Amino acid sequence: GDSIPADIDYLDGDTMSVDTAALTGEPFPRKVPNSKGNRRTLAGCMTVSGNTYCLVQRTGIFTEMGSATLLMQQSTKPTQSVFERSIIECCELVMTIALAFLIAVFIFMYCIKHEELLDTLTTILSILIASVPVALPVVMQVTLALGAGEMAKQQAIVTHLTAMQEIASMNVLCSDKTGTLTTAKIQVFFDKIWTAPGYTKEEIMEFCALASNPHATDDPIDIAILQSFKVAFPDDFDARIKKYTVTKFVGFVPETKRTVAYATIQNKTNLKVSKGLIDKILDTGDDGGDMWKCINTEKIRDI
């Protein structure tokens, strides 16, 4: 649970499990050093487990987190939004029309009707004051502030009011990954499960639970599947899973991107159940793990 205060390189000790959500938004902890030999851990991350000796490489604003903070400060300077530009263009149009109208009033009153110059200027000044939207900026700011208050009630953070104006003018909003706009809380919706012909949703849930490690307390996917399995079958989830006997279990690794459970069912039928990246389930290829290719792979991919 310790926060990493600087960019550091792993030297010796346990393999660390590091939560990098603060930097990357990823909900899953990373291993340091990893299988590719990367020994760097960045400031701002949290240590989930492991006791190690490390060498400090960068501190303060020179860390990756410090650089990101500087970029954030530069990007949050007051800017003119699309909404503000539209309002300014509208005001400029109104002022242009008003000036043309004032010229026409001056010519009509002073040159044609020969009114006193003071009376003419008083009339022109009254029209000019009426045509200038003096209260418009105040009304805009108050309206946006009320909107920011409503968003705060829904636990949304408004960094500056210009951001609300930009969001209001959006047609499409693209987000990068889980943890940015989502809660990173995984759940299986039983009624949304797709099944191939010959299989039921109940069987798919059983297979998913079978291919999940009940002892992996730090794996959010396995935890979510097992919890959803218990929710889907509150009365007999224990009996459903106990009818299988797992003889071998291969956990998830980045190279194979799947878990595999070798099991037998009560009628002595042997099963191989796998859970993971769909491409690695349909056709594993030669990736160092158990290899297979599913029947009708191309047809399933088209679906």
Side-chain angles (χ1 to χ4, degrees):
D2 291 340
S3 176
I4 298 174
D7 289 355
I8 58 178
D9 283 343
Y10 172 91
L11 291 179
D12 191 19
D14 302 333
T15 298
M16 289 194 299
S17 180
V18 180
D19 182 0
T20 62
L23 281 176
T24 65
E26 295 290 344
F28 311 126
R30 294 183 178 179
K31 299 295 184 182
V32 179
N34 60 18
S35 58
K36 296 181 179 179
N38 184 13
R39 310 169 78 86
R40 177 63 55 88
T41 306
L42 302 179
C45 299
M46 298 292 293
T47 304
V48 178
S49 63
N51 295 313
T52 63
Y53 292 95
C54 299
L55 176 65
V56 175
Q57 296 289 356
R58 298 187 183 93
T59 60
I61 61 172
F62 302 103
T63 63
E64 291 292 332
M65 179 66 81
S67 300
T69 303
L70 291 177
L71 290 174
M72 286 290 291
Q73 292 176 350
Q74 294 172 5
S75 64
T76 54
K77 292 181 179 179
T79 56
Q80 195 176 73
S81 66
V82 176
F83 180 67
E84 288 178 334
R85 288 197 296 270
S86 300
I87 293 295
I88 291 173
E89 291 174 0
C90 182
C91 291
E92 290 175 349
L93 178 61
V94 171
M95 292 298 298
T96 302
I97 296 173
L99 288 174
F101 183 69
L102 292 176
I103 294 172
V105 170
F106 180 82
I107 294 173
F108 177 75
M109 292 185 64
Y110 187 72
C111 300
I112 298 177
K113 295 189 66 178
H114 303 290
E115 298 280 351
E116 292 291 335
L117 180 61
L118 182 60
D119 295 337
T120 303
L121 292 178
T122 302
T123 303
I124 290 175
L125 183 60
S126 300
I127 297 173
L128 179 62
I129 293 174
S131 63
V132 176
V134 179
L136 183 60
V138 177
V139 173
M140 286 176 54
Q141 294 300 318
V142 170
T143 303
L144 291 172
L146 292 173
E150 291 297 321
M151 294 184 68
K153 293 178 182 178
Q154 302 181 32
Q155 299 181 346
I157 299 174
V158 180
T159 56
H160 49 272
L161 296 181
T162 307
M164 292 186 60
Q165 300 171 9
E166 296 290 356
I167 291 175
S169 63
M170 287 183 184
N171 292 323
V172 178
L173 175 63
C174 299
S175 177
D176 55 351
K177 53 196 167 186
T178 300
T180 306
L181 290 180
T182 62
T183 60
K185 294 180 181 178
I186 306 170
Q187 182 180 358
V188 179
F189 292 93
F190 184 77
D191 57 337
K192 301 292 185 181
I193 296 176
W194 175 86
T195 61
Y199 293 92
T200 64
K201 295 180 180 180
E202 289 77 6
E203 290 176 321
I204 297 301
M205 279 299 299
E206 290 179 6
F207 293 154
C208 288
L210 191 65
S212 300
N213 185 1
H215 305 293
T217 56
D218 60 343
D219 191 321
I221 294 180
D222 285 357
I223 293 172
I225 289 175
L226 293 172
Q227 289 178 346
S228 299
F229 179 72
K230 293 179 180 180
V231 172
F233 310 108
D235 299 325
D236 60 344
F237 68 88
D238 196 40
R240 284 177 176 271
I241 202 67
K242 281 186 176 180
K243 68 182 181 182
Y244 300 95
T245 301
V246 178
T247 57
K248 181 181 178 183
F249 186 88
V250 180
F252 182 92
V253 291
E255 290 76 18
T256 59
K257 296 180 174 62
R258 61 183 179 274
T259 63
V260 185
Y262 301 84
T264 57
I265 201 169
Q266 290 174 346
N267 60 7
K268 305 304 180 182
T269 302
N270 293 323
L271 295 176
K272 181 192 294 183
V273 182
S274 183
K275 167 178 65 66
L277 184 68
I278 183 64
D279 288 337
K280 286 293 187 177
I281 300 296
L282 296 176
D283 186 359
T284 63
D286 188 4
D287 55 9
D290 194 0
M291 295 185 296
W292 67 78
K293 183 175 181 179
C294 295
I295 300 174
N296 298 327
T297 296
E298 299 303 326
K299 183 179 179 180
I300 296 175
R301 282 177 174 160
D302 292 339
I303 296 175

